[in-house]
Amino acid sequence: DTAVSQTPKYLVTQMGNDKSIKCEQNLGHDTMYWYKQDSKKFLKIMFSYNNKELIINETVPNRFSPKSPDKAHLNLHINSLELGDSAVYFCASSAGGTTNEKLFFGSGTQLSVL
Amino acid sequence: QKEVEQNSGPLSVPEGAIASLNCTYSDRGSQSFFWYRQYSGKSPELIMSIYSNGDKEDGRFTAQLNKASQYVSLLIRDSQPSDSATYLCAVNSLQTDKLIFGTGTRLQVFP
């Protein structure tokens, strides 16, 4: 019944490793997002996809690569993890993708890079 | 100047009091304003949205918008300990076509 689900909830890994976070929404929404929340609670958009098409690609290192196989899924792959990548990553979705709509967030993935 | 600014708090209020949370924004063209509540270790959830000047009430929550002053606030009446959370203000930026979040205000309601 979970509207936006992401896995894993916790990810602890060594510097230099490659990892992926998966996200799925069952709301029938057209747009999905990845947000990063740092230790000071600042929530910043990284990417957004509308119907599998990349719409927003913020100034994010190209070690981060989103992939949307269909409009219900948006995964995030991170290469060569660095200490500064440690944060909580939230997947979200919205019905149409305009900035005046409600965002539905997943439960978050706490990434710790050691 | 940050695009969306909030006092980080904590804002401590006694149970039953009115909690007042404030947010200022820099983009004069912004049209959509949101308040998200985030409990510790949880994801943000929308509690209020407001699009025009004035007040909008929903239960114990009232959002207030003043576009001339570039100011949006959230009032929580009859505050409860369960209201203790971080409240994130979010504003759409017409310049960048993105939703910009503030860093949030931590609210503590003590019995």
Side-chain angles (χ1 to χ4, degrees):
Chain A
D1 276 293
T2 305
V4 182
S5 58
Q6 58 181 106
T7 55
K9 188 162 176 63
Y10 300 98
L11 193 48
V12 181
T13 188
Q14 300 286 332
M15 263 195 319
N17 283 349
D18 303 339
K19 290 292 177 187
S20 292
I21 307 172
K22 295 187 175 183
C23 180
E24 175 182 3
Q25 55 96 2
N26 62 7
L27 297 166
H29 286 170
D30 285 341
T31 305
M32 296 185 72
Y33 309 81
W34 279 110
Y35 279 85
K36 178 181 180 181
Q37 188 170 47
D38 62 24
S39 57
K40 294 183 180 177
K41 291 287 192 180
F42 183 49
L43 197 60
K44 191 166 193 283
I45 190 165
M46 300 173 70
F47 304 101
S48 77
Y49 271 74
N50 181 282
N51 264 316
K52 303 194 298 176
E53 183 185 341
L54 180 64
I55 302 298
I56 293 174
N57 185 350
E58 278 295 274
T59 310
V60 174
N62 57 16
R63 298 181 294 103
F64 291 78
S65 52
K67 280 192 172 51
S68 182
D70 55 60
K71 77 171 194 177
H73 295 83
L74 180 61
N75 304 323
L76 183 65
H77 188 76
I78 315 170
N79 287 328
S80 303
L81 278 155
E82 299 178 358
L83 293 177
D85 298 331
S86 296
V88 181
Y89 293 83
F90 286 102
C91 177
S93 72
S94 66
T98 62
T99 55
N100 58 5
E101 294 174 349
K102 176 180 177 178
L103 290 175
F104 293 77
F105 285 90
S107 56
T109 296
Q110 171 113 40
L111 172 64
S112 299
V113 182
L114 307 177
Chain B
Q1 183 191 2
K2 286 183 185 173
E3 292 178 274
V4 178
E5 291 205 63
Q6 297 180 254
N7 188 317
S8 60
L11 172 66
S12 292
V13 300
E15 185 174 357
I18 296 175
S20 178
L21 303 155
N22 305 316
C23 173
T24 58
Y25 60 94
S26 61
D27 183 351
R28 281 201 166 274
S30 294
Q31 298 173 336
S32 305
F33 307 86
F34 306 90
W35 284 99
Y36 284 80
R37 178 177 62 201
Q38 187 175 21
Y39 291 114
S40 180
K42 301 294 185 183
S43 58
E45 57 173 333
L46 182 71
I47 52 171
M48 288 289 286
S49 58
I50 187 166
Y51 303 99
S52 53
N53 276 331
D55 294 1
K56 179 182 176 184
E57 190 174 314
D58 184 1
R60 295 186 297 112
F61 299 98
T62 299
Q64 299 175 316
L65 175 60
N66 184 325
K67 288 186 180 180
S69 301
Q70 294 174 245
Y71 176 90
V72 58
S73 64
L74 179 71
L75 301 179
I76 307 174
R77 287 182 299 283
D78 189 23
S79 294
Q80 301 297 308
S82 59
D83 294 326
S84 298
T86 296
Y87 289 80
L88 303 169
C89 173
V91 178
N92 77 329
S93 166
L94 286 192
Q95 292 170 358
T96 60
D97 195 27
K98 295 188 184 79
L99 192 64
I100 308 297
F101 282 84
T103 50
T105 298
R106 190 157 66 94
L107 173 66
Q108 294 176 332
V109 181
F110 55 91

